[in-house]
Amino acid sequence: MSTPIAALDLGTTKTCALIAEMTDTGTLRILGAGISASRGLRKGVVTDVKEASHSIVAAVEQAERVSGFKIEAVHVGIAGAHIQSTNSRGVAAIHNGRGVAQDDIDRAMEAAEAIAVPHNREIIHAIPRGYTLDGQDGVKDPLGMIGFRLEVEAHIVTGSAASIQNLIKAVEGAGLKVSGVVLEPIAAGEAVLTSAEKEMGVLLADIGGGTTDIGVFIDGSIWHTMVLPTGGIHVTNDLAVGLRTPFSAAEEMKIKYGQADPTLVAEDEMIDVAAFGEEGRRTVSRREVAEIIRARVDEICQLILTEVKRSGYDNLLPAGVVLCGGTAELAGMKAFAREALQMPVRLGTPRDIEGFTDRVSSPAFATSVGLAAWGWKESAVQARVAPPHGGRPAANPLGGLVGWAKRAFLPG
Ligand SMILES: Nc1ncnc2c1ncn2[C@@H]1O[C@H](COP(=O)(O)OP(=O)(O)OP(=O)(O)O)[C@@H](O)[C@H]1O
Ligand SMILES: [Mg+2]
C-alpha cells in the first residue's frame, strides 16, 4: 500500500478534490471525494484567485471529512487555451562501458528540454516518448542497456507563466501546497485509456464545461496535446439565447431533454418550460432544442477534427476516439461523434478504481481520477530518481509524500 495522494481538478464548472491510495494490485482506492461548484474560472483558466480558492476549500473540506485525512499538498490539473505542446529531441553521449545510467537519461532529457521558451512561458511537462540507442529506435527503457549514443524523443508542454502562477496562487490561497501541475488531458488519459489503446494509437477528447482537451497517444505515450476553449457551457449558452430562457433553466433542460441528434426526437414533442422555474406557461419544441445543441456539438467535433489533422497523426489512430468530460454524457453524443469524426468512438469512464467511487465514476471525473493516478506515479518516480521528469518541478518535489497526517474523523 502506498502513501495517500491528493488531487485537485479545478474545472470550469466543478472543482473536485480527491484523496486516494494505490493498492498493491494497481487499483486506485478512492478514500474521499469532495465536489463544489467552481467560481473564478473562465475557459479552464483562473480569472479570480480568491473565488477559485473558496471553491477549492469547499471541495477539499468534503474530501477530508469523508476520508479522515488532511490534505496538505495536491497535484492540480491545468488547462486553457494558453497551453502549447511540441515534440523535441535530446542527445547524450554514453562514456562508460557499463551501460546507460540514470544520469545519461537525465542529460538527454535536459537537452530535449533546452528548447527556446519565451520568458513569459514555462515548461509544464517534459515527457519521454521513446529512446533511440546507437540508431536503434523504439527503446522504451534504456536504463542498463549498452550503447554509446542515447537519443530521447520528448513531448514538451508549456503554458503561460501568469496562468500557471494564478492557478498556484488559488491553491495556496486555500492553504495547500502544489506538489505537481499536470496537463488535464494527460491526466484524463491516465484514468480512461487502456494500455492497448495507447499502444495502438488513440485520440482522447475531454469535452468539459469551458474547454475541450485533446490528447493523442501512440506507441504507449503522449504525442500531442491541445486545449480548445469550447465546451458544454457554450451549448447551454446557445440554448439560453435561442430559447430566451435563463442559463440555469437552459442547463437543466439540456441535461434532462438534450439530444445531439435531432432526427431521434419526435417532431411534435414539446417541453414545458415552466418546469424549469420560468413563470407562465410556455412550451418549446424538443426538436428545436436538439437542433441548437447539434450545431454547437458539431462545431466542437469539427474543432477536434481540425486539431487532429493539424497534428499530422490523424492516420495513426486505429483505436479511435475515447470521449470523456461531462459533455460526453449528452444523449446521442457517442453516435454523433462517430459520424462527425469518422472514427470508432467509446465513452471513457475512470478505470481501475475502488472505494468511494460513486461520485467519481462518470466521464466527467476522468481528469480528477487521472490526476490522482498521475500524482501517485510521479511520487513513485520522485522516490526513485531525482530530478523527476514528466511533471513540472514543484517548490517541494516531495510535497505529495510528506505532510500526511491521519487525523481523527471530524463529524459535520
Ligand atoms: N448528462 C449530461 N448531458 C449533457 N451535458 C452534461 C451532462 N452532464 C454534464 N454535462 C455538461 O458537462 C459540462 C461539465 O463537464 P465537466 O464536469 O467535465 O467540466 P469541467 O471539468 O468543470 O470543465 P473544464 O474541464 O471544461 O474546465 C457542463 O457544461 C454540463 O452541462
Ligand atoms: Mg474538466
Coordinates of all heavy atoms in Angstrom, one line a residue, residues 22-57:
M22 N -2.9 4.0 -3.8 CA -2.7 2.9 -4.8 C -2.6 1.6 -4.0 O -1.8 1.4 -3.1 CB -1.4 3.2 -5.6 CG -1.3 2.4 -6.8 SD -2.6 2.5 -8.0 CE -2.3 4.0 -8.8
T23 N -3.4 0.6 -4.5 CA -3.4 -0.7 -3.8 C -2.3 -1.5 -4.4 O -1.7 -1.1 -5.5 CB -4.7 -1.5 -4.0 OG1 -4.8 -1.8 -5.4 CG2 -5.9 -0.7 -3.5
D24 N -1.9 -2.6 -3.8 CA -0.9 -3.5 -4.3 C -1.2 -4.0 -5.7 O -0.3 -4.4 -6.4 CB -0.6 -4.6 -3.3 CG -0.2 -4.1 -1.9 OD1 0.4 -3.0 -1.9 OD2 -0.3 -4.8 -0.9
T25 N -2.5 -4.1 -6.0 CA -2.9 -4.7 -7.3 C -3.0 -3.6 -8.3 O -3.5 -3.9 -9.5 CB -4.2 -5.4 -7.1 OG1 -5.2 -4.5 -6.5 CG2 -4.1 -6.7 -6.3
G26 N -2.6 -2.4 -8.0 CA -2.6 -1.3 -9.0 C -3.9 -0.7 -9.2 O -4.2 0.0 -10.3
T27 N -4.8 -0.8 -8.3 CA -6.1 -0.2 -8.4 C -6.1 1.1 -7.5 O -5.4 1.1 -6.4 CB -7.2 -1.1 -7.9 OG1 -7.2 -2.3 -8.6 CG2 -8.6 -0.5 -7.9
L28 N -6.7 2.2 -8.0 CA -6.7 3.4 -7.2 C -7.9 3.3 -6.2 O -9.0 3.3 -6.7 CB -6.8 4.6 -8.1 CG -6.5 5.9 -7.5 CD1 -5.0 6.0 -7.2 CD2 -6.8 7.0 -8.5
R29 N -7.6 3.3 -4.9 CA -8.7 3.3 -3.9 C -9.0 4.7 -3.5 O -8.2 5.4 -3.0 CB -8.3 2.5 -2.7 CG -9.4 2.4 -1.7 CD -9.0 1.6 -0.5 NE -8.8 0.2 -0.9 CZ -7.9 -0.6 -0.4 NH1 -7.0 -0.1 0.5 NH2 -7.8 -1.8 -0.8
I30 N -10.3 5.1 -3.8 CA -10.7 6.5 -3.5 C -11.1 6.5 -2.0 O -12.0 5.8 -1.6 CB -11.9 6.9 -4.4 CG1 -11.7 6.6 -5.9 CG2 -12.3 8.4 -4.1 CD1 -10.7 7.5 -6.5
L31 N -10.4 7.3 -1.2 CA -10.7 7.4 0.2 C -11.7 8.5 0.5 O -12.4 8.4 1.5 CB -9.4 7.6 1.0 CG -8.3 6.6 0.7 CD1 -7.0 7.0 1.3 CD2 -8.7 5.2 1.3
G32 N -11.7 9.5 -0.4 CA -12.6 10.6 -0.1 C -12.7 11.5 -1.4 O -11.7 11.7 -2.0
A33 N -13.9 12.0 -1.7 CA -14.0 12.9 -2.8 C -14.9 14.1 -2.4 O -15.8 13.9 -1.6 CB -14.7 12.2 -4.0
G34 N -14.5 15.2 -2.8 CA -15.3 16.4 -2.5 C -15.5 17.2 -3.8 O -14.6 17.3 -4.6
I35 N -16.7 17.7 -4.0 CA -17.1 18.4 -5.2 C -17.8 19.7 -4.9 O -18.7 19.7 -4.0 CB -18.0 17.5 -6.1 CG1 -17.3 16.2 -6.5 CG2 -18.4 18.2 -7.4 CD1 -18.2 15.0 -6.7
S36 N -17.3 20.8 -5.5 CA -18.0 22.0 -5.3 C -18.2 22.7 -6.6 O -17.5 22.4 -7.6 CB -17.2 22.9 -4.3 OG -16.0 23.3 -5.0
A37 N -19.1 23.7 -6.7 CA -19.3 24.4 -7.9 C -18.1 25.4 -8.1 O -17.8 26.1 -7.1 CB -20.6 25.2 -7.9
S38 N -17.5 25.4 -9.3 CA -16.4 26.3 -9.5 C -16.8 27.7 -9.6 O -17.8 28.0 -10.3 CB -15.6 25.9 -10.7 OG -15.0 24.7 -10.6
R39 N -16.0 28.6 -9.1 CA -16.1 30.0 -9.3 C -14.7 30.6 -9.6 O -13.7 30.0 -9.2 CB -16.8 30.7 -8.1 CG -18.2 30.2 -8.0 CD -18.9 30.6 -6.7 NE -18.9 32.1 -6.6 CZ -19.3 32.7 -5.5 NH1 -19.8 32.1 -4.5 NH2 -19.3 34.0 -5.5
G40 N -14.7 31.7 -10.3 CA -13.4 32.3 -10.6 C -12.6 31.7 -11.7 O -11.4 31.9 -11.8
L41 N -13.3 30.9 -12.5 CA -12.6 30.3 -13.7 C -13.4 30.7 -15.0 O -14.6 30.7 -15.0 CB -12.6 28.8 -13.6 CG -11.4 28.2 -12.9 CD1 -11.7 27.9 -11.4 CD2 -10.8 27.1 -13.6
R42 N -12.6 30.8 -16.1 CA -13.2 31.0 -17.4 C -12.4 30.2 -18.4 O -11.2 30.3 -18.4 CB -13.1 32.5 -17.8 CG -14.5 33.2 -17.8 CD -14.3 34.6 -18.2 NE -14.1 34.7 -19.7 CZ -15.1 34.6 -20.6 NH1 -16.3 34.5 -20.2 NH2 -14.8 34.7 -21.8
K43 N -13.1 29.3 -19.1 CA -12.4 28.5 -20.1 C -11.2 27.8 -19.6 O -10.1 27.8 -20.2 CB -12.1 29.4 -21.4 CG -13.3 29.9 -22.0 CD -13.0 30.7 -23.3 CE -14.3 31.3 -23.8 NZ -14.0 32.1 -25.0
G44 N -11.3 27.3 -18.4 CA -10.3 26.5 -17.8 C -9.2 27.2 -17.1 O -8.3 26.7 -16.6
V45 N -9.3 28.6 -17.1 CA -8.2 29.4 -16.6 C -8.7 30.2 -15.3 O -9.9 30.7 -15.4 CB -7.7 30.4 -17.6 CG1 -6.7 31.4 -17.0 CG2 -7.0 29.6 -18.8
V46 N -7.9 30.3 -14.3 CA -8.3 31.0 -13.1 C -8.3 32.5 -13.5 O -7.3 33.1 -13.9 CB -7.3 30.8 -12.0 CG1 -7.6 31.7 -10.8 CG2 -7.3 29.3 -11.5
T47 N -9.5 33.2 -13.3 CA -9.6 34.6 -13.6 C -9.8 35.4 -12.3 O -9.7 36.6 -12.2 CB -10.7 34.9 -14.5 OG1 -11.9 34.2 -14.1 CG2 -10.4 34.4 -15.9
D48 N -10.2 34.7 -11.2 CA -10.3 35.3 -9.9 C -9.8 34.4 -8.8 O -10.4 33.4 -8.5 CB -11.8 35.6 -9.7 CG -12.1 36.4 -8.4 OD1 -11.3 36.2 -7.4 OD2 -13.0 37.2 -8.3
V49 N -8.6 34.7 -8.4 CA -7.9 33.8 -7.5 C -8.7 33.5 -6.2 O -8.8 32.4 -5.7 CB -6.5 34.4 -7.2 CG1 -5.8 33.6 -6.1 CG2 -5.6 34.4 -8.4
K50 N -9.2 34.6 -5.6 CA -9.9 34.4 -4.3 C -11.1 33.5 -4.5 O -11.3 32.6 -3.6 CB -10.4 35.8 -3.9 CG -9.5 36.4 -2.8 CD -10.3 37.4 -1.9 CE -9.4 38.0 -1.0 NZ -9.2 39.5 -1.2
E51 N -11.9 33.8 -5.5 CA -13.1 32.9 -5.7 C -12.7 31.5 -5.9 O -13.4 30.6 -5.4 CB -13.9 33.4 -7.0 CG -14.5 34.8 -6.8 CD -15.9 34.7 -6.4 OE1 -16.4 33.6 -6.3 OE2 -16.5 35.8 -6.1
A52 N -11.7 31.3 -6.7 CA -11.3 29.9 -7.0 C -10.8 29.2 -5.7 O -11.1 28.1 -5.5 CB -10.1 29.9 -8.0
S53 N -10.1 30.0 -4.8 CA -9.7 29.4 -3.6 C -10.9 29.0 -2.7 O -10.8 27.9 -2.1 CB -8.9 30.5 -2.8 OG -7.7 30.8 -3.4
H54 N -12.0 29.8 -2.7 CA -13.2 29.4 -2.0 C -13.7 28.0 -2.5 O -14.1 27.2 -1.7 CB -14.2 30.5 -2.1 CG -13.9 31.7 -1.3 ND1 -13.6 31.6 0.0 CD2 -13.9 33.0 -1.7 CE1 -13.4 32.9 0.4 NE2 -13.6 33.7 -0.5
S55 N -13.8 27.9 -3.8 CA -14.3 26.6 -4.4 C -13.4 25.4 -3.9 O -13.8 24.4 -3.7 CB -14.3 26.7 -5.9 OG -15.1 27.7 -6.3
I56 N -12.0 25.7 -3.9 CA -11.1 24.7 -3.6 C -11.3 24.2 -2.1 O -11.4 23.1 -1.8 CB -9.6 25.1 -3.8 CG1 -9.4 25.4 -5.3 CG2 -8.6 24.1 -3.2 CD1 -8.1 26.1 -5.6
V57 N -11.4 25.2 -1.2 CA -11.6 24.9 0.2 C -12.9 24.1 0.4 O -12.9 23.1 1.1 CB -11.7 26.3 1.0 CG1 -12.2 26.0 2.4 CG2 -10.4 27.0 1.1

